[in-house]
Amino acid sequence: VKKILLIGIGAGDPEHVTMQAVKALNRVDVFFVMDKGPAKKKLVALRQEICRRYIEGTSYRVVEAPSPPRERAPADYRTCVEDLNNEKKAVFERLISAEMADGECAAVMIWGDPSLYDSTIRILDAIIADGRHDIDYEVIPGITSVQALTAKHRTTLNRIGKPVEITTGRNLAAGWPDDADSVVVMLDGEDTYRRFADQDVEIFWGAYLGTPDEILISGKLEDVAVRIYEARTAARAANGWIMDTYLMRKVREDK
Ligand SMILES: C[S@@+](CC[C@H](N)C(=O)[O-])C[C@H]1O[C@@H](n2cnc3c(N)ncnc32)[C@H](O)[C@@H]1O
């Protein structure tokens, strides 16, 4: 059996890495690295820093796989993600066949937590379902960008007894989710929060959370929407990429 560990490494701060993740990192024979895009250099650097800090010895190997690029504005988002995941699956299968021996342990260091807007679990399940590889995998949880966001703003994710919806900018563009008191928005390339600036909404926004470039802005949306937009635009221009997340809630009830 080939063992694969999906290790959540937190959202940008090497100190997000849990003790469980440290133990897992020290079991690894080979790391598979699949980063892409303009953020690649920083993301790879963080993973290297995590290995340097937490792994005793240097007996592990690192295999970089070219990750298939994603169309930026696909006509059909779901099909596009499915195509991408099929390509990623093929890349994974090649890594499993060619880059690890039976009995070895491979790992993928997953940004944040493997359960949140990440397809690696689905891809491994599909590989196992095909039955061509004798593999087994474990998931080690990590601090998500959502937790990094709420902690930095010293706020709660939900109001007392109320539901939270975690969604994408693309979904939010269709309107405030029914029944959601608090909404967390990820993967928003379009500053979609601006659509709600005329409503009684508070926002907690964070970019590059946990990293030296971190930016935090919070307040009544109508007061801070422009400030967030300007900060986001400037930071993206300066760095060439941005990752940001925000929590919004309608100001109706007590916290
Ligand atoms: C593909 S999702 C992966 C989420 C990840 N698995 C997690 O647990 O946070 C990428 C999105 O996560 C959010 N994100 C991840 N890391 C972040 C960070 N350090 N600061 C702000 N947002 C972050 C952004 O919304 C980004 O578009």
Side-chain angles (χ1 to χ4, degrees), residues 127-183:
I127 294 174
I128 289 172
D130 284 351
R132 283 196 296 270
H133 302 269
D134 189 13
I135 58 170
D136 178 29
Y137 77 95
E138 283 174 40
V139 178
I140 289 91
I143 302 285
T144 67
S145 49
V146 179
Q147 293 160 297
L149 176 77
T150 51
K152 281 299 172 88
H153 282 289
R154 299 187 303 176
T155 189
T156 57
L157 188 55
N158 62 288
R159 284 191 283 204
I160 297 173
K162 298 287 185 186
V164 180
E165 179 146 333
I166 301 179
T167 191
T168 63
R170 182 175 285 266
N171 290 331
L172 185 70
W176 192 276
D178 290 345
D179 303 329
D181 183 59
S182 299
V183 181

Side-chain angles (χ1 to χ4, degrees), residues 11 111-113 116-117 144-145 186-187 206-209 243-245:
W111 197 258
D113 180 78
L116 187 64
Y117 288 111
T144 67
S145 49
M186 307 178 70
L187 295 160
Y208 315 104
L209 291 156
M243 52 183 183
D244 63 327
T245 307

